[in-house]
Amino acid sequence: MTQLPRLASAALLVLAACAGQASAQALAPTSGRTLAATCTGCHGPGGHSPGEIPSIYGKTETQIVQALTEFRSDRRPATMMNRHAKGFTEAEIAAIAKEVATWR
Amino acid sequence: MSRTNLSRRGFTGSLLAATALSACAVQPEAPAKARVVVIGGGFGGTTAAKFLRLEDPGIAVTLVEPKSAFSTCPGSNYVIGGLSKMSDITHGYAALTGVHGVRHVREMAVAVDPVAKTVRTSGGQTLAYDRLVMSPGIDLRWGAIAGYDEAASARMPHAWQAGPQTELLRRQLEAMPDGGVVALAIPGMPYRCPPGPYERISMIANYLKTAKPRSKILALDAKDAFSKQPLFQDGWAALYPGLIEWVPLGKDGKVVEVVSGEMTLVSDFGQRHKVAVANVIPPQFAGKIARDAGLADQAGWCPVDPFTFESRQAKNIHVIGDASIAGAMPKSGFAASSQAKFVARAIAAAINGRPAEAPVFANTCYSLVGPDYGISVADIYRSTPQGIVAVQGAGGVSPRTPADAAAFRHLEAMYTHGWYASATKEIWG
């Protein structure tokens, strides 16, 4: 079950890479900054949530990786984050964590 | 595939040319690296304008939006249901202009010249751009339901663009005698906010349940299935037993005509429903400026390159949000904002000579079934040459039978408001 999303993501990345292959402009892997832009819609700008959703600024890289990895494998209880975390590869989770850890 | 490559090459090339041009121009202040005009101050346009400036303050950004404050469709169902006020869902542009340095032209964009790369405004200004971001939202297709034109909407509100129509529907519900029938006419796909009509049914039911308990809701639908359907229907059965009748297409749910003077809705097979309040949500298409600029297809929506959101019909123009054809992504405020962030970053990357990134988008849509009963749908999306697709094995709707259902629905109700607070802070704050 946990393998499925990873496989699907990997397949899509290959497809995406193919789209730019014919030109010299192959697509760069999605940056941590771009990936982490999907977080702030709910967790607030810079991870500062003004409302009922938990803030995520001030966390360490390790904390973010652990949280997302556990959400992805359904080891950590969640309403929403398990559904989101399954959409990202391990490398992307690492990139997200590196970016989010800079939010103060 | 080649279309994608061509458009990406053109993207960078024309921006380099623009940069060279602006370097030669004589300007009193530091010359902008590039000029980006954004049409539309909703979720997509406002996000794009702000994030372009966050990405690179050297880019001059002009937002063309006639309103001084924007009322959001998300949250408008809570106004209709009496849980919120219009002021709760209305946001100004003070931070966008004052903090982020976006120039706000409070006029309508009335014409686009994709060759000269200019936008003409209702006040007669001509705004030159290197890149244009179009986020015009939807227009209602007057006449798609016979008899439903703008005049009819004063009697039978659509309330599908938040503002005076939202307040009108609220007033009609308040004025309605107990025992009346409230009808909704719901369109087929695609339309703005797929779960929106069903959240609206829920919020009206929540109001009627206590204020007018002998009343009924008749939901006439032009389709046979809808977003988060089992979750909504479970919630309706639990919270509003016997109050809501949902009539799918297959049971003659499609409304094809209205007689607004008689408060009557007519179905495809000629059933006439005379009701006390009628909320008619008509079929829709891309906002007029996008259609006038030749960016829409025959169905009225705008095809775009899934990797850049650049229009398939015109170079240097990105169409985002409800007006665009974004594959698996729904027409939602969250989706529009997600697209806007990526496009802003892609434009800034091209201007600064950085390579284009593989796109990743997200959507998260919460709906209230009751004040303490929330449900959600979410997905992560990636681009393929065939379009934008949801990542398999991720996303999806709230579980139908979580271990502690009451706690789960309660949390998601809280997060419904939490999302709204965060999103609007990020965009207009």
Side-chain angles (χ1 to χ4, degrees):
Chain A
M1 184 59 205
T2 54
Q3 288 298 328
L4 260 178
R6 250 172 290 177
L7 284 173
S9 305
L12 286 172
L13 282 177
V14 170
L15 272 179
C18 290
Q21 205 172 50
S23 79
Q25 299 184 344
L27 292 175
T30 316
S31 66
R33 189 176 164 95
T34 295
L35 290 163
T38 63
C39 307
T40 55
C42 291
H43 292 284
H48 291 253
S49 167
E52 294 82 352
I53 291 175
S55 289
I56 53 171
Y57 69 92
K59 306 285 184 195
T60 66
E61 208 175 317
T62 310
Q63 286 174 319
I64 299 289
V65 167
Q66 185 174 359
L68 289 175
T69 305
E70 291 180 5
F71 283 134
R72 194 169 63 154
S73 61
D74 287 316
R75 273 194 294 140
R76 190 179 290 212
T79 53
M80 172 61 70
M81 277 314 299
N82 51 346
R83 288 179 261 162
H84 276 302
K86 286 170 187 154
F88 300 101
T89 64
E90 268 176 43
E92 286 173 338
I93 284 177
I96 290 170
K98 198 165 185 179
E99 175 70 19
V100 173
T102 67
W103 295 351
R104 289 284 171 262
Chain B
M1 193 178 288
S2 59
R3 177 74 185 83
T4 304
N5 297 332
L6 268 176
S7 79
R8 218 177 358 253
R9 233 187 337 260
F11 187 27
T12 317
S14 60
L15 279 166
L16 286 174
T19 310
L21 270 178
S22 65
C24 300
V26 181
Q27 290 188 10
E29 297 169 20
K33 282 183 192 171
R35 299 154 301 176
V36 180
V37 173
V38 179
I39 295 177
F43 280 80
T46 311
T47 304
K50 176 173 171 175
F51 276 71
L52 277 160
R53 296 285 301 171
L54 289 175
E55 283 293 328
D56 186 349
I59 301 172
V61 180
T62 302
L63 175 70
V64 185
E65 166 57 60
K67 292 195 268 299
S68 60
F70 185 84
S71 298
T72 61
C73 281
S76 66
N77 286 334
Y78 317 146
V79 176
I80 290 163
L83 300 180
S84 301
K85 296 187 288 292
M86 281 305 286
S87 57
D88 298 328
I89 61 162
T90 303
H91 309 274
Y93 299 100
L96 192 70
T97 55
V99 179
H100 301 291
V102 172
R103 178 177 168 228
H104 181 189
V105 173
R106 280 196 54 198
E107 295 173 23
M108 284 287 287
V110 293
V112 172
D113 183 336
V115 178
K117 299 210 280 184
T118 56
V119 175
R120 197 155 48 78
T121 68
S122 51
Q125 297 190 60
T126 300
L127 307 171
Y129 65 80
D130 301 309
R131 284 277 143 179
L132 174 61
V133 178
M134 282 257 213
S135 192
I138 56 152
D139 277 345
L140 304 166
R141 297 182 78 128
W142 303 123
I145 295 173
Y148 196 69
D149 54 16
E150 195 157 9
S153 75
R155 192 89 196 272
M156 298 176 152
H158 54 82
W160 217 242
Q161 289 162 321
Q165 281 272 308
T166 311
E167 295 176 289
L168 175 62
L169 181 54
R170 175 63 193 166
R171 283 200 304 276
Q172 290 186 348
L173 291 169
E174 287 174 334
M176 184 187 87
D178 189 8
V181 172
V182 178
L184 288 90
I186 303 171
M189 298 295 281
Y191 63 94
R192 162 177 285 179
C193 190
Y198 311 97
E199 184 190 59
R200 178 167 293 177
I201 289 168
S202 308
M203 291 295 96
I204 293 174
N206 182 61
Y207 169 68
L208 296 178
K209 183 184 177 180
T210 47
K212 291 162 191 186
R214 293 190 296 116
S215 308
K216 293 264 185 282
I217 294 174
L218 177 65
L220 301 166
D221 208 327
K223 57 192 175 304
D224 282 317
F226 60 85
S227 172
K228 308 182 224 180
Q229 184 172 347
L231 291 169
F232 272 113
Q233 291 181 325
D234 288 352
W236 293 346
L239 301 176
Y240 318 113
L243 205 157
I244 298 162
E245 183 188 356
W246 175 68
V247 185
L249 174 67
K251 294 197 170 159
D252 199 20
K254 185 177 180 180
V255 171
V256 295
E257 184 186 352
V258 302
V259 187
S260 60
E262 298 170 19
M263 288 302 289
T264 296
L265 306 172
V266 186
S267 77
D268 205 6
F269 288 91
Q271 288 190 74
R272 300 176 78 83
H273 305 277
K274 189 170 164 56
V275 298
V277 173
N279 173 202
V280 177
I281 305 167
Q284 299 148 31
F285 48 14
K288 185 174 190 299
I289 185 72
R291 287 180 284 117
D292 286 354
L295 305 181
D297 66 9
Q298 282 191 322
W301 305 103
C302 301
V304 295
D305 182 321
F307 292 90
T308 61
F309 276 82
E310 188 173 18
S311 169
R312 295 281 195 198
Q313 324 284 1
K315 295 174 67 60
N316 310 310
I317 301 177
H318 301 257
V319 186
I320 58 172
D322 294 351
S324 69
I325 300 172
M329 295 187 79
K331 299 186 186 304
S332 79
F334 194 113
S337 185
S338 179
Q339 293 158 8
K341 289 179 206 174
F342 181 80
V343 167
R345 192 156 159 76
I347 290 174
I351 288 168
N352 289 289
R354 293 198 308 268
E357 293 180 36
V360 173
F361 307 103
N363 182 57
T364 306
C365 283
Y366 287 99
S367 304
L368 287 184
V369 183
D372 195 36
Y373 192 120
I375 58 175
S376 63
V377 62
D379 274 299
I380 304 294
Y381 303 90
R382 295 176 192 268
S383 301
T384 78
Q386 288 72 41
I388 297 173
V389 297
V391 175
Q392 296 170 53
V397 298
S398 312
R400 197 169 174 187
T401 52
D404 185 346
F408 203 102
R409 308 293 182 229
H410 164 71
L411 270 176
E412 292 220 295
M414 283 177 50
Y415 294 159
T416 303
H417 298 295
W419 165 73
Y420 189 82
S422 287
T424 53
K425 182 184 173 194
E426 179 173 48
I427 299 167
W428 287 278

